[in-house]
Amino acid sequence: MEILNSILSWVMKKRIHQIELFMKYPHEVQNELLEDLVKKSSKTAYGKQYGFKTIENYEHFKSKVPIVNYEELFPFIERLMKGEQNVLWPSEVRWFAKSSGTTNARSKFIPVSQEALDDCHYKGGKDLLSIYFNNYPDAKMFAGKGLVIGGSHQLNQFDENANSYYGDVSAVLLKNLPWWAQMVRTPSLDIALMDEWEGKIDKMVDITSSENVTNISGVPTWMIVLLEKMIERNKVNNILDIWPNLEVFFHGAVSFTPYEELFKKLIPSKKMRYMETYNASEGFFGIQDQTDSKDMLLMLDYGIFYEFVPFSELDQKNPKTLTLDEVEVGKNYAIIITTNAGLWRYRIGDTVTFTSINPYRIKISGRTKHFINAFGEELIIENAESAIAEACKKTHATIDNFTAGPIYLEEGQKGGHEWVIEFTHEPNDLTRFKKLLDEHLREINSDYDAKRYKDIALQEPVIHVVPKGSFYEWMKNRGKLGGQHKVPRLANNREYLDELVGYRTHSS
C-alpha cells in the first residue's frame, strides 16, 4: 500500500498544471466550453427545438434558450428515462441521480451522461486528491482505505426494459468507479449500496472497525451518526482508537461550520484535515484549494457553463443573468448551469457568494427556497449557520442539528423566528445562547437588525431544545435517512417547525 500511495500521489499531482491554466484563463475556458456544448447538442431534440445550430455566441444562447427549473425540464428527462436517446445530450444516458431536495418530497431524476461521469464527477474527485496531495506532500491516505457513506441504486422505475438505473449521486458514482479506486475503498459495494440505512450503518461498523481507514467522505450529519455508532459499538473514547491513521475528512452537501467542534471531539487530532467539496447531483462545482481558507475554487473545465442570477432578481420571470466576468465579490447569486449531461440553463436551487474573482472562489450561502423572509429580514442559511456557530463557541456548546422558521404576526403579538435545536452538548446558559444568536444575526444581517430594532417587527427568537436523536427520528419518519438527504435549515413557513416542536424538552 505504501508503493501504491507513492504512485497515486504522483499521478494526482500532475493535474495541478491544468487547474492553474483555467485559473489563469477563466473566461476563455468558459466561452470555449459553451461553444462546444451547443455544437455537440445541435441535433438533439432540445437542440432542434431551440435552434442550437444558429447560436453563435453567448448573447444568442441567452436569447434563444430559456432558464428552466426541474419541472420545466422534466418532460425531456422522462423521455430519457423511458429509453429514448438524443433528447438532451447526444451520447447515451443510462444513469440518473435521484435527488429529493429539501423543499418537497417529490424525487428528482437528474441525467448523468458518461461525459458527466468522466469529465465532471470523477475529474472532480481526482482533482480533490490532486489538490490535497499538492497541499500536503506527506499525505499517506492511499496507504490505507477510504470510507464513503453512499446511497443506494435500483432499476429505473419508469421502464425496466430501458436498461437505465437511478440512485443517489454517491451511489451512481460508487457503482461506476474505476478498478483502482475500488481497491482503496471500504466497505464492499453490496454494503455501501444497501437501501436500508440503519442496517447499512450497522454493517459498516462491523466491517470497517478492523480496516486501516485513512480517509472518510460524506455528508457531515450522516458521518457523525456513523462515527458515534462506531465509538459506541467498540467501547472506545474516540475514533482514533479504531482508526489511528485517519488523516482527512472530505465533506460536502451541508455547511461544516456547525459541526466543526463535534468532529474535533470525535477525532481529537491536531493533524486531522478537513476539505470541503461542492458536489451535487447536477455536477461537481467546487473544491477547497487552500489550507488556510474554507472558500472553494470554482472548477471551470468540467463541462459546466455557469451563469449567475443576482439575489434581487430571483422572483423575476426573466431574471437578469451574469457571466463570470460580471460577478462581484460579496454579492449573493443563484447558480444557473449548462452541462455535458444535457441540463440547459438549469436552476439548481443553490446560492453562492464570491469571495475572490482572481481566481474565482465561492462559498455556498444557501438555497433559493431555503430562507426566512416573512418580515423582509432576508435571513439566509449562511447567516443562520454563522450565528449558531458563534453562540455555540461562546457558551461551550456543540450542535447536532437545527431548523428554523417564522412565528407569524397575530393580533396583539409580534412576529419572530422560532428555532428547534438538538445539541450534543447543551450551552452552559441557554438564555445567553439565545442572546448571542440574536446579536450575531443583527451584526451580519442589516435587514434582520432593522426589523429587530426596538422589536418593531421581530421579537427576540424562541428556541426549543429537543432530545438527542430527535432529528434522526424525524428524518426516519419522513423516509429521508442517509444518502443525499439533508435536514432543512430554514423555511419561510412552519411546515417543519410544527412537526419538530413536539420533540422538545425545554425552551427559551
Side-chain angles (χ1 to χ4, degrees):
M1 294 299 278
E2 288 287 348
I3 295 173
L4 183 63
N5 185 77
S6 299
I7 294 171
L8 290 177
S9 61
W10 175 78
V11 171
M12 293 304 169
K13 287 178 184 176
K14 293 187 70 177
R15 164 68 178 156
I16 296 298
H17 175 63
Q18 293 171 290
I19 294 173
E20 289 170 346
L21 280 177
F22 79 65
M23 291 168 70
K24 189 175 182 180
Y25 303 106
H27 309 128
E28 292 84 349
V29 168
Q30 281 282 283
N31 289 336
E32 288 178 13
L33 183 56
L34 177 62
E35 183 180 338
D36 185 58
L37 291 172
V38 170
K39 184 177 180 180
K40 283 181 177 176
S41 302
S42 62
K43 294 181 180 179
T44 63
Y46 205 80
K48 290 176 181 177
Q49 181 167 325
Y50 291 104
F52 280 16
K53 277 191 175 180
T54 64
I55 294 175
E56 297 179 2
N57 52 46
Y58 173 65
E59 291 303 319
H60 284 173
F61 178 70
K62 189 165 65 169
S63 65
K64 285 179 171 291
V65 183
I67 294 174
V68 295
N69 57 28
Y70 181 79
E71 288 72 23
E72 291 164 325
L73 198 63
F74 181 69
F76 296 92
I77 294 174
E78 187 176 33
R79 288 164 62 180
L80 279 171
M81 295 195 74
K82 290 182 176 179
E84 186 180 349
Q85 295 296 335
N86 204 36
V87 178
L88 290 167
W89 184 249
S91 65
E92 186 180 30
V93 175
R94 293 182 53 236
W95 286 92
F96 298 83
K98 181 182 177 183
S99 171
S100 61
T102 49
T103 54
N104 60 53
R106 193 160 66 83
S107 296
K108 298 177 183 178
F109 296 90
I110 306 298
V112 182
S113 66
Q114 192 61 48
E115 290 88 343
L117 278 174
D118 294 338
D119 300 331
C120 183
H121 289 288
Y122 289 144
K123 192 174 182 179
K126 286 184 280 189
D127 282 356
L128 172 65
L129 299 177
S130 297
I131 291 169
Y132 178 68
F133 277 96
N134 191 59
N135 287 344
Y136 304 103
D138 61 338
K140 302 289 185 185
M141 60 170 280
F142 286 130
K145 292 193 174 181
L147 183 149
V148 180
I149 298 184
S152 59
H153 82 287
Q154 60 195 91
L155 279 173
N156 154 6
Q157 68 182 17
F158 290 99
D159 183 357
E160 293 185 7
N161 296 319
N163 194 30
S164 58
Y165 305 85
Y166 68 78
D168 291 343
V169 65
S170 55
V172 174
L173 299 182
L174 283 173
K175 188 68 177 176
N176 290 277
L177 278 176
W179 65 269
W180 64 266
Q182 297 286 11
M183 281 180 59
V184 292
R185 55 162 303 280
T186 188
S188 59
L189 278 181
D190 60 325
I191 294 173
L193 297 176
M194 283 176 62
D195 287 325
E196 204 276 300
W197 169 253
E198 290 175 300
K200 172 156 69 176
I201 287 292
D202 284 335
K203 284 187 177 294
M204 288 182 80
V205 170
D206 291 339
I207 296 296
T208 63
S209 290
S210 58
E211 295 273 17
N212 177 26
V213 173
T214 57
N215 60 99
I216 52 178
S217 305
V219 180
T221 44
W222 301 122
M223 187 60 71
I224 286 170
V225 173
L226 175 65
L227 297 185
E228 289 182 334
K229 178 79 77 172
M230 186 81 66
I231 290 168
E232 177 189 355
R233 183 80 60 82
N234 286 277
K235 296 180 172 61
V236 295
N237 294 320
N238 61 68
I239 207 68
L240 295 176
D241 292 330
I242 305 168
W243 300 327
N245 298 315
L246 183 63
E247 65 177 66
V248 61
F249 176 30
F250 301 112
H251 58 87
V254 300
S255 171
F256 190 63
T257 302
Y259 305 108
E260 194 164 358
E261 290 305 312
L262 180 53
F263 271 93
K264 286 179 180 178
K265 290 180 178 179
L266 295 171
I267 313 169
S269 168
K270 292 182 179 179
K271 295 182 180 179
M272 184 67 185
R273 299 147 181 164
Y274 299 91
M275 282 186 68
E276 185 164 2
T277 67
Y278 186 6
N279 187 18
S281 300
E282 298 86 355
F284 203 126
F285 308 129
I287 298 172
Q288 180 182 334
D289 67 318
Q290 302 171 104
T291 59
D292 59 351
S293 172
K294 296 178 182 177
D295 303 340
M296 289 179 284
L297 181 68
L298 188 64
M299 309 306 285
L300 302 178
D301 64 347
Y302 286 4
I304 300 172
F305 178 76
Y306 293 98
E307 296 173 83
F308 303 90
V309 174
F311 202 72
S312 58
E313 295 267 332
L314 283 183
D315 295 330
Q316 301 298 316
K317 185 176 181 181
N318 297 300
K320 176 183 179 182
T321 56
L322 308 176
T323 47
L324 270 181
D325 57 319
E326 299 173 293
V327 299
E328 297 177 48
V329 169
K331 294 195 174 180
N332 215 22
Y333 299 102
I335 303 179
I336 307 295
I337 59 170
T338 291
T339 78
N340 53 5
L343 300 178
W344 297 97
R345 305 198 80 199
Y346 180 82
R347 297 177 183 258
I348 64 171
D350 288 345
T351 60
V352 298
T353 302
F354 282 87
T355 58
S356 164
I357 56 173
N358 185 26
Y360 288 97
R361 290 194 178 98
I362 58 171
K363 58 182 177 181
I364 302 169
S365 54
R367 299 277 298 170
T368 55
K369 294 182 179 179
H370 257 207
F371 56 84
I372 307 177
N373 195 32
F375 312 98
E377 67 273 46
E378 295 190 7
L379 189 76
I380 61 175
I381 293 175
E382 183 185 13
N383 299 157
E385 290 173 332
S386 175
I388 282 276
E390 182 71 11
C392 280
K393 181 180 178 181
K394 291 183 176 178
T395 60
H396 306 289
T398 51
I399 196 171
D400 200 323
N401 258 310
F402 76 90
T403 194
I407 300 171
Y408 295 124
L409 289 165
E410 294 180 5
E411 187 175 349
Q413 181 180 323
K414 291 174 180 172
H417 291 171
E418 195 166 355
W419 299 70
V420 177
I421 304 176
E422 180 182 327
F423 292 100
T424 304
H425 299 286
E426 289 196 23
N428 51 26
D429 185 336
L430 186 59
T431 301
R432 182 166 179 257
F433 178 93
K434 178 173 70 173
K435 186 173 183 291
L436 289 166
L437 175 72
D438 185 41
E439 287 176 351
H440 194 67
L441 287 174
R442 295 186 71 165
E443 286 175 13
I444 62 178
N445 185 322
S446 58
D447 291 314
Y448 179 86
D449 183 49
K451 304 304 181 293
R452 282 285 292 118
Y453 179 69
K454 293 186 177 180
D455 294 348
I456 290 174
L458 288 176
Q459 63 184 351
E460 66 178 11
V462 173
I463 293 178
H464 304 294
V465 178
V466 295
K468 187 161 177 57
S470 296
F471 276 86
Y472 184 93
E473 192 64 31
W474 179 62
M475 292 290 279
K476 179 181 177 181
N477 291 338
R478 297 172 69 224
K480 294 185 179 296
L481 282 183
Q484 298 298 300
H485 299 302
K486 301 179 281 290
V487 170
R489 291 293 183 229
L490 301 177
N492 209 30
N493 55 53
R494 296 188 56 84
E495 177 186 354
Y496 309 123
L497 277 179
D498 288 338
E499 292 178 8
L500 276 161
V501 166
Y503 289 88
R504 67 183 174 181
T505 52
H506 54 280
S507 304
S508 176

